[in-house]
Every structure is written in structure tokens, then in C-alpha cells.
Amino acid sequence: MSTLTDRRAATDSPILDVLTERWSTRIFDANTPIDEDALASALEAARWAPTAANTQPWRLIVARRGTDAHAAIVSALAGFNSAWAGDAAVLVVFVAETVRDGKPMTWALYDTGQVAAHFTVQAHADGLSTHQMGGFDRDAIAAAFGLSAEFTPVTVMAVGSLGDIREASPELQARENAPRERRSLEESVLLSA
Ligand SMILES: Cc1cc2nc3c(=O)[nH]c(=O)nc-3n(C[C@H](O)[C@H](O)[C@H](O)COP(=O)(O)O)c2cc1C
């Protein structure tokens, strides 16, 4: 259990508790197995995400710690990601189907991101932590799992229980304790008429 008391977002308007409380930890419990019921629910939430024309241009690779698949994903992680994400009980590769029947799937990346968003919200609601990563070797993942050119690995998500920050390295502790920031809504909303 982490000693962190509050990583909640300081929101300007009230939002759902699960959105306030979600954050991307880098400190996962390296021993506790995945809560299979919570994982099943997160996967089900992903399944029910909306996609363009219900084309569902996404696939997942779900790898539990201790399996060859988990090790293969860890070995494909870039830089600092490989220092912490291997502790996660599950690593999920979010794959976009960018081409179907020879035609580009225009919304595949968008849809896959929304699938990931649904996954994270359900996971956090059920007590799991998540951390998405873009820093990994796409070719290595494609080769390890035999993905054809129509399928693009987009992100890897670490999923599991929160670890104990007191046992983490100083670098991890510093990152974990860094302030959570966002630019103001005024800077993002181009027009609100
Ligand atoms: C598409 C995507 C790629 C990301 N890639 C990485 C990554 O490679 N390594 C990492 O430590 N965090 C990564 N992150 C996490 C972001 O840095 C993090 O979500 C952001 O700083 C906001 O923090 P929060 O999720 O705690 O609110 C990524 C997040 C997303 C959505």
C-alpha cells in the first residue's frame, strides 16, 4: 500500500470521483496477482467503448506477470519505462487495426484511445491502477506477437495494484510525488459561445 495520501486532481469544477482519483502511478505491487474480476470488468468496459460506425478497429494483448508474453512486452519498453512497468501484474498492448480489407481505417487510432480511456476508468473504479506508455519498440511488439502490417501497437498499459512508495527508488519517489498539473481550460477551449 502506498503512503501517498492524495494524488487527486485539483479540479475547477466537480467531476466524477473516479476521474479525480485516477493518476498514472509508476509504483506497482510486484507480488500481488491481478484482481481477475476487476480486469474482466476493465476489458468489458473497453469492449463497450464507442467506435466509428461500430467498426471496433482495435485489439488487445493481455499479458500477466510471469508469462513469456509479459516478459516480451517488458523487453520492448523504452528507457525508464522498463525500470518500473515490469512490476505491474498485467501489461496490456492496445493495438489499432489501421487497415481493413485494404482500406485505411480513419478512426482506428482515435477509437483505440477511447477504448483505453474506458479501460482506465473502469479499472480505477474497481481499485486497479493504470499507466499508459507510448515509449516502446513497436516493431519488437509486432514481431513478438506476430502482428501483420494492418495492426499497429499504439500503447502499452501497466495495470495492477499500487505498490509501496517507501520501497521505491529515489527517482521513482520523486516522479511519484511531482505535482499534478494541467493547463487552464481557457487555454484548451478555443471557443465557448
Ligand atoms: C498515449 C500516452 C503515452 C504515454 N507514454 C508514457 C511513457 O512512455 N512513459 C511514462 O512514464 N508515462 C507515459 N504516459 C503517462 C503520461 O505522462 C501521464 O498520463 C501524464 O503525465 C498525466 O499524468 P496523469 O495520468 O497522472 O494524470 C503516457 C500517457 C499517454 C496517454
Side-chain angles (χ1 to χ4, degrees):
M1 181 62 67
S2 171
T3 57
L4 285 171
T5 52
D6 197 355
R7 294 292 288 162
R8 289 186 300 169
T11 65
D12 292 340
S13 298
I15 63 175
L16 296 174
D17 286 346
V18 64
L19 298 179
T20 308
E21 291 163 6
R22 182 214 61 81
W23 93 94
S24 300
T25 188
R26 290 183 180 84
I27 301 176
F28 285 91
D29 182 330
N31 301 304
T32 305
I34 194 67
D35 177 335
E36 291 288 349
D37 289 342
L39 176 62
S41 292
L43 292 168
E44 190 66 6
R47 176 177 170 238
W48 283 98
T51 59
N54 203 20
T55 48
Q56 304 167 72
W58 57 276
R59 302 289 191 280
L60 303 181
I61 295 164
V62 180
R64 289 164 180 78
R65 193 177 49 225
T67 65
D68 289 346
H70 192 277
I73 297 169
V74 172
S75 70
L77 295 176
F80 193 56
N81 290 338
S82 62
W84 56 267
D87 284 348
V90 167
L91 294 170
V92 182
V93 184
F94 285 75
V95 179
E97 184 185 8
T98 50
V99 177
R100 184 182 292 176
D101 299 330
K103 296 175 188 153
M105 298 293 281
T106 307
W107 304 104
L109 293 175
Y110 184 97
D111 288 341
T112 302
Q114 186 149 234
V115 164
H118 275 229
F119 184 110
T120 61
V121 171
Q122 185 67 46
H124 281 263
D126 289 333
L128 295 176
S129 289
T130 65
H131 193 132
Q132 300 174 67
M133 291 166 280
F136 67 95
D137 183 335
R138 281 153 185 76
D139 293 340
I141 291 289
F145 296 102
L147 299 177
S148 59
E150 295 83 9
F151 293 93
T152 302
V154 182
T155 50
V156 174
M157 190 189 296
V159 184
S161 302
L162 200 56
D164 188 340
I165 192 171
R166 294 167 301 186
E167 295 174 4
S169 69
E171 184 174 2
L172 274 176
Q173 290 195 21
R175 292 199 186 209
E176 198 77 356
N177 287 321
R180 300 195 61 220
E181 295 170 340
R182 293 294 191 272
R183 67 174 178 240
S184 72
L185 204 50
E186 288 71 25
E187 291 174 85
S188 293
V189 178
L190 299 179
L191 175 70
S192 179

